[in-house]
């Protein structure tokens, strides 16, 4: 191919189309994934999930909620091979990708992928933007159980066709869990009745978000961050962006909108996706994006989660709860004896820990396993302790609270 | 000559502003083995579970004759978004002629007065000079609310509807109704008016296509957007335009998953279909 032909190809098809590839993803489904979330008290909460994951690879066992991120380039031919070894039929619906009927993933109009079957879905990524995939079999149930994931069509450093340039990006794949569905027996459950026990941000809750550096949104003066928001919930997701950040909506559902909208409050409805460009003129620390879930039936806020900006181990405000919300009452040992457990993170830590959830001023000490005291003092509602001077090793955090000793490593 | 032309115009105008008759009918529906009486505004005295669409001409006075067979007096109202256009008392057991003033072209809604009466679910579209290919009236029904209306009190329960419908039909009934299921051809321009006559928003998702939101009082800032999923707020409407480029059957449904169930089972409720042929 000579130089002129290359030029013509670039002019006719664009750079992405010339370098478009065939991308093949091999997925499988499971209905026995055990996931561990963190509750509002910092305690682990295990539950049964149904999931998509990679099949027949070294990371086969990493089935999780959400399913793997499918990331392709504009113009790519995308093939998702799907093997279903699970006990029930599933499909993959390519939400927002405008595929033909065969590849739409609706069992009654496309096809079922029954137990032991293998099928493939194929499409050409003709629009850049943020999409999702999910199972469309008994959708309220399979969606609740975790069978979904994000699908991103990239166009270099532009969000859409040569518009919305950014130098970093962050995905907020928002979903939710009702604990009752993730118990072993869901016989007789009413599929209209979805209660919000957990807000999931990229599959994580509470401290799992604040302690994970991958979940920290990075934004410095001079940056333009593309924030991709996916609502895979049963709720309205109301995002409140801190005032020191300039936020504009530039697109939705994989399309540029006619005119950018400057706003710091964005309501995202179930199934919608938004593309937001964030910039700041000032250095930001100790700030967070607030995500409030509003009940669709009442349009009232129920629960709130926070996305830390720039600060690893962000300290979130106390969780907001609506008294009308149907919370599941946990009966663990600490709640029975009336002691609120400590929330300590990050743990393990390299430098510092943050301690939360004290009912009152509380004395503390940090001891090594020989009983030597390395640090002591008094905690307020929340406290950040610098452990940089301590040698590597295992320590005991000891506090006195109503004559009850609480220990955490 | 000018006199006769004026006379002809007056006569023609008088003929066009004819009165339309409607009936507030009580009928029974069944859900979860429970039956309940509901009230609907119908074009005949035979009960139909969907409220009528009233169409009138723009920029001229119109008359509605409404018969109220319900056991209480009721208040019939017409709104443009949040603006009350008129409010008329309908006495029990009587017919009332309502003079509708000249209205500009657009989408209006009628309903019974907010509060106890609104729980009846009598709420619908008043189209003034509007022509559109399909109308989807999306709505849900909470039987506790319907019962509270019958008992002449406000419901004290959380809103938790059992029945989700489009044009009064729940899936798969929607597939049998030619005004609810969209049959069209590749290359057609199909305009659809979606009106939310319920108590909660719905997030409508279109399979296979993005649609252009051509007008919206639901989310006005989304006018002109190309979307595959979009909210329609309570008491609000939007127009969407579909220009299909490939054949096939593509569902349209609320992505709030509670709405795609019937009696707690899937699929049901607020689902319809685009059926595109070559």
């Amino acid at each position: 191919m000579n130089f002129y032909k290359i030029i013509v190809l670039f002019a006719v098809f664009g750079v992405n189309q010339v370098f478009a590839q065939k991308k093949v993803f091999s997925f499988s489904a499971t209905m026995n994934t055990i996931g561990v979330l963190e509750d509002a008290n910092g305690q682990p909460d295990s539950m049964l999930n149904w999931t998509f994951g990679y099949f027949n690879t070294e990371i086969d066992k990493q089935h999780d909620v959400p399913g793997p991120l499918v990331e392709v380039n504009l113009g790519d031919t995308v093939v998702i091979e799907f093997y279903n070894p699970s006990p029930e039929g599933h499909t993959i619906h390519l939400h927002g990708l405008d595929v033909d009927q065969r590849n739409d993933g609706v069992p009654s109009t496309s096809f079922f992928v029954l137990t032991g079957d293998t099928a493939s879905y194929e499409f050409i990524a003709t629009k850049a933007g943020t999409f999702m995939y999910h199972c469309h079999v008994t959708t309220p149930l399979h969606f609740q159980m975790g069978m979904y994931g994000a699908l991103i069509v990239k166009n270099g450093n532009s969000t859409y066709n040569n518009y919305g340039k950014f130098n970093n990006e962050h995905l907020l794949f928002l979903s939710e869990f009702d604990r009752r569905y993730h118990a072993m027996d869901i016989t007789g459950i009413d599929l209209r009745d979805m209660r919000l026990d957990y807000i999931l941000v990229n599959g994580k809750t509470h401290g799992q978000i604040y302690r994970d550096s991958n979940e920290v949104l990075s934004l410095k003066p001079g940056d333009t961050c593309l924030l991709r928001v996916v609502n895979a919930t049963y709720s309205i997701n109301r995002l409140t962006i801190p005032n020191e950040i300039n936020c504009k909506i530039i697109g939705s559902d994989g399309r540029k909108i006619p005119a950018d909208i400057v706003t710091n409050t964005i309501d995202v409805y179930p199934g919608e996706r938004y593309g937001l460009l964030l910039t700041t003129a000032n250095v930001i620390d100790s700030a967070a994006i607030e995500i409030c879930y509003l009940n669709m039936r009442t349009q009232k806020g129920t629960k709130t989660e926070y996305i830390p900006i720039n600060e690893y181990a962000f300290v979130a405000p106390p969780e907001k709860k609506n008294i009308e919300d149907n919370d599941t009452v946990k009966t663990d040992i600490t709640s029975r004896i009336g002691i609120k457990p400590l929330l300590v993170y990050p743990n393990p830590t390299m430098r510092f820990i943050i301690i939360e959830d004290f009912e009152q001023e509380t004395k503390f000490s940090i001891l090594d396993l020989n009983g030597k005291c390395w640090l002591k003092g008094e905690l307020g509602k929340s406290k950040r302790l610098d452990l940089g001077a301590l040698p590597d090793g295992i320590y005991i955090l000891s506090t006195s609270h109503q004559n009850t000793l609480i220990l955490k490593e | 000559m000018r006199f006769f032309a004026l006379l002809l115009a007056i006569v023609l105008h008088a003929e066009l502003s004819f009165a339309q008759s409607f009936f507030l009918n009580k009928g029974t529906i069944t859900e979860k083995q429970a039956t309940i009486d509901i009230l609907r505004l119908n074009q005949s005295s035979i009960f139909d579970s969907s409220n009528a669409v009233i169409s009138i001409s723009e920029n001229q006075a119109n008359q509605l004759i409404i018969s109220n067979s319900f056991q209480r007096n009721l208040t019939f109202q017409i709104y443009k978004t949040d603006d009350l256009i008129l409010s008329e008392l309908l006495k029990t057991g009587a017919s009332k002629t309502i003079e509708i003033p000249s209205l500009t072209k657009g989408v209006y809604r009628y309903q019974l007065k907010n509060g106890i009466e609104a729980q009846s679910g009598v709420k619908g579209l008043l189209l003034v000079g509007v022509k559109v290919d399909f109308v989807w009236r999306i709505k849900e029904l909470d039987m506790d609310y319907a019962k509270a209306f019958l008992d002449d009190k406000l419901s004290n329960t959380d809103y938790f509807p059992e029945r989700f419908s489009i044009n009064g039909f729940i899936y798969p009934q929607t597939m049998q109704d030619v005004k609810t299921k969209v049959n069209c051809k590749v290359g057609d321009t199909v305009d659809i008016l979606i009106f939310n006559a319920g108590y909660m928003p719905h997030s409508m998702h279109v399979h296979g296509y993005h649609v252009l939101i051509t007008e919206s009082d639901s989310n006005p800032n989304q006018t002109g957007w190309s979307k595959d999923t979009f909210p329609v707020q309570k008491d609000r409407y939007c127009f969407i335009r579909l220009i299909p480029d490939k054949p096939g059957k593509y569902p349209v449904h609320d992505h709030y998953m509670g709405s795609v169930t019937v009696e707690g089972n899937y699929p049901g409720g607020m689902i319809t279909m685009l059926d595109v042929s070559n």
Side-chain angles (χ1 to χ4, degrees):
Chain A
M1 187 182 293
N2 62 33
F3 176 75
Y4 296 106
K5 284 182 178 173
I6 292 172
I7 293 292
V8 168
L9 268 174
F10 267 57
V12 173
F13 298 109
V15 177
N16 286 292
Q17 277 72 17
V18 171
F19 291 111
Q21 298 177 338
K22 185 170 186 174
K23 300 264 179 68
V24 180
F25 299 84
S26 294
F27 277 13
S28 66
T30 68
M31 298 177 73
N32 59 359
T33 302
I34 301 298
V36 180
L37 297 180
E38 182 174 301
D39 71 13
N41 295 320
Q43 300 300 303
D45 192 3
S46 301
M47 52 193 72
L48 175 72
N49 303 327
W50 301 353
T51 53
F52 289 116
Y54 289 114
F55 170 62
N56 205 19
T57 69
E58 290 180 359
I59 50 175
D60 186 21
K61 292 182 179 176
Q62 294 181 5
H63 277 67
D64 210 344
V65 176
L69 171 64
V70 175
E71 203 169 54
V72 300
N73 292 315
L74 186 63
D76 282 350
T77 297
V78 184
V79 178
I80 301 178
E81 295 172 340
F82 178 42
Y83 169 56
N84 178 19
S86 81
E88 289 186 20
H90 300 289
T91 66
I92 296 177
H93 167 55
L94 299 158
H95 182 110
L97 285 146
D98 296 356
V99 296
D100 61 12
Q101 180 182 328
R102 187 221 168 261
N103 290 288
D104 195 33
V106 177
S108 59
T109 54
S110 304
F111 53 85
F112 247 116
V113 186
L114 298 170
T115 302
D117 282 358
T118 300
S120 71
Y121 299 89
E122 183 169 337
F123 64 96
I124 297 172
T126 56
K127 299 284 185 184
T130 309
F131 306 89
M132 71 168 150
Y133 62 88
H134 63 81
C135 181
H136 218 291
V137 176
T138 318
T139 321
L141 176 62
H142 291 224
F143 206 76
Q144 166 66 240
M145 296 305 293
M147 302 195 79
Y148 43 65
L151 194 157
I152 292 175
V153 180
K154 305 199 79 165
N155 184 27
N157 66 342
S158 295
T159 313
Y160 304 106
N161 291 338
N162 299 316
Y163 187 79
K165 292 194 184 309
F166 58 90
N167 67 318
N168 73 52
E169 63 182 296
H170 194 91
L171 172 66
L172 296 179
F173 191 94
L174 305 175
S175 57
E176 66 181 72
F177 274 0
D178 177 339
R179 293 183 82 256
R180 300 171 306 155
Y181 284 82
H182 298 263
M184 297 303 285
D185 183 8
I186 52 171
T187 307
I189 208 153
D190 182 338
L191 291 176
R192 286 174 307 147
D193 187 9
M194 298 290 176
R195 302 175 187 177
L196 175 60
D197 288 318
Y198 284 112
I199 289 177
L200 275 71
V201 179
N202 299 327
K204 303 182 181 78
T205 60
H206 301 305
Q208 292 175 329
I209 302 166
Y210 317 142
R211 290 194 301 271
D212 188 339
S213 58
N214 292 323
E215 302 305 330
V216 176
L217 186 143
S218 174
L219 187 68
K220 297 184 289 294
D223 282 348
T224 300
C225 176
L226 168 63
L227 184 62
R228 301 178 186 271
V229 186
V230 182
N231 182 333
T233 80
Y234 305 83
S235 309
I236 303 162
N237 302 156
R238 176 164 293 166
L239 274 67
T240 305
I241 311 288
N243 287 331
E244 56 263 46
I245 292 176
N246 304 308
C247 172
K248 59 182 180 181
I249 303 170
I250 62 164
S252 180
D253 295 359
R255 301 289 189 275
K256 179 187 177 303
I257 62 173
D260 298 348
I261 297 174
V262 176
T263 179
N264 281 57
T265 304
I266 303 100
D267 283 352
V268 188
Y269 282 73
E272 284 193 303
R273 291 88 58 215
Y274 270 80
L276 312 174
L277 281 190
L278 309 181
T279 57
T280 181
N282 304 309
V283 175
I284 296 173
D285 61 358
S286 195
I289 295 172
E290 180 184 282
I291 304 171
C292 180
Y293 277 32
L294 283 73
N295 185 302
M296 281 285 281
R297 285 184 276 111
T298 63
Q299 293 113 72
K300 291 178 184 171
T302 52
K303 282 181 161 52
T304 306
E305 197 54 271
Y306 297 88
I307 307 303
I309 300 171
N310 290 338
E311 189 184 4
Y312 176 55
F314 166 79
V315 180
E319 187 181 12
K320 290 178 188 170
K321 283 188 179 179
N322 189 319
I323 55 170
E324 297 169 10
D325 193 31
N326 299 300
D327 272 331
T328 304
V329 177
K330 292 190 71 180
T331 53
D332 59 15
I333 184 69
T334 50
S335 64
R336 283 206 298 275
I337 61 176
I339 303 166
K340 196 170 184 181
L342 284 171
L343 176 58
V344 181
Y345 59 84
N347 193 11
T349 179
M350 293 178 68
R351 191 168 57 86
F352 63 88
I353 56 172
I354 291 170
I355 308 170
E356 286 188 54
D357 287 343
F358 288 91
E359 300 294 345
Q360 58 194 47
E361 296 294 306
T362 305
K363 290 180 179 176
F364 79 94
S365 55
I366 292 183
L367 313 164
D368 65 19
L369 295 181
N370 296 319
K372 180 183 176 183
C373 180
W374 288 82
L375 205 60
K376 64 180 179 179
E378 196 165 274
L379 296 171
K381 186 74 180 169
S382 167
K383 187 96 172 184
R384 176 172 168 144
L385 302 179
D386 190 347
L387 306 184
L390 276 63
D392 291 349
I394 300 172
Y395 296 87
I396 299 167
L397 168 67
S398 172
T399 67
S400 176
H401 186 250
Q402 296 177 347
N403 300 320
T404 303
L405 190 66
I406 301 171
L407 302 177
K408 281 209 168 187
E409 288 185 354
Chain B
M1 188 64 183
R2 187 176 294 177
F3 171 75
F4 286 111
L6 184 63
L7 188 64
L8 181 63
I10 290 170
V11 169
L12 282 173
H13 182 270
E15 283 182 359
L16 286 172
S17 63
F18 60 93
Q20 299 183 61
S21 294
F22 294 90
F23 301 82
L24 279 169
N25 294 324
K26 193 162 79 171
T28 301
I29 60 164
T30 301
E31 202 72 47
K32 289 245 177 197
Q33 285 100 40
T35 59
I36 192 164
D37 287 341
I38 61 168
L39 197 66
R40 292 292 181 263
L41 186 74
N42 300 143
Q43 279 183 297
S44 81
S45 57
I46 300 169
F47 173 77
D48 174 355
S49 65
S50 64
N51 289 299
V53 175
I54 304 175
S55 289
I56 60 174
S57 303
E58 61 190 291
N59 297 322
Q60 68 176 52
N62 288 270
Q63 286 184 339
L64 301 179
I65 302 169
I66 300 180
S67 302
N68 177 14
S69 60
F70 189 62
Q71 61 263 33
R72 293 199 304 270
N73 295 341
L74 299 167
T75 307
F76 180 84
Q77 298 181 323
I78 292 175
Y79 280 89
K80 176 65 177 169
T81 311
D82 288 326
D83 297 333
L84 181 64
I85 304 294
L86 65 80
S87 184
E88 295 279 353
L89 184 70
L90 305 176
K91 289 189 174 173
T92 178
S95 292
K96 174 76 177 274
T97 299
I98 297 173
E99 304 287 344
I100 299 183
S102 173
L103 297 173
T104 55
K105 182 178 178 179
V107 177
Y108 299 71
R109 75 174 183 279
Y110 66 81
Q111 63 173 73
L112 296 185
K113 186 180 173 183
N114 281 323
I116 292 172
E117 292 186 23
Q119 297 174 122
S120 66
V122 175
K123 187 186 289 179
L125 278 168
L126 172 67
L127 301 180
V128 181
V130 171
K131 297 282 187 290
V132 67
D133 299 312
F134 291 88
V135 176
W136 289 340
R137 290 157 289 150
I138 56 177
K139 185 178 179 61
E140 67 288 340
L141 172 72
D142 181 330
M143 294 180 79
D144 288 337
Y145 272 48
K147 185 169 186 316
F149 164 69
L150 296 174
D151 295 341
D152 199 16
K153 64 182 184 184
L154 279 173
S155 172
N156 57 6
T157 62
D158 283 343
Y159 191 59
F160 193 48
E162 290 90 359
R163 190 176 194 274
F164 300 86
S165 62
I166 304 176
N167 295 339
F169 300 108
I170 55 176
Y171 180 88
Q173 296 170 343
T174 50
M175 304 296 286
Q176 307 302 319
D177 183 58
V178 295
K179 292 182 177 176
T180 304
K181 180 186 174 195
V182 172
N183 291 300
C184 60
K185 292 181 177 173
V186 170
D188 282 354
T189 297
V190 183
D191 289 318
I192 303 168
L193 167 61
I194 308 175
F195 169 63
N196 184 346
Y199 268 81
M200 59 181 281
H202 294 284
S203 189
M204 303 305 289
H205 173 54
V206 182
H207 284 234
Y209 289 101
H210 277 62
V211 294
L212 179 68
I213 298 175
T214 55
E215 183 186 330
S216 174
D217 83 339
S218 172
N219 293 74
N221 66 8
Q222 289 192 353
T223 301
W225 293 22
S226 179
K227 298 276 285 173
D228 60 71
T229 310
F230 49 90
V232 185
Q233 308 291 344
K234 168 194 171 189
D235 293 343
R236 298 291 189 266
Y237 71 89
C238 68
F239 285 91
I240 60 171
R241 175 166 293 171
L242 167 74
I243 305 178
D245 62 358
K246 57 184 177 296
K249 291 181 169 62
Y250 302 98
V252 180
H253 61 85
D254 188 3
H255 219 273
Y256 166 68
M257 299 296 181
S259 298
V260 291
T261 61
V262 58
E263 299 197 356
N265 298 309
Y266 174 90
M270 207 174 277
I271 305 173
T272 187
M273 190 76 78
L274 308 174
D275 191 343
V276 185
S277 57
N278 270 314

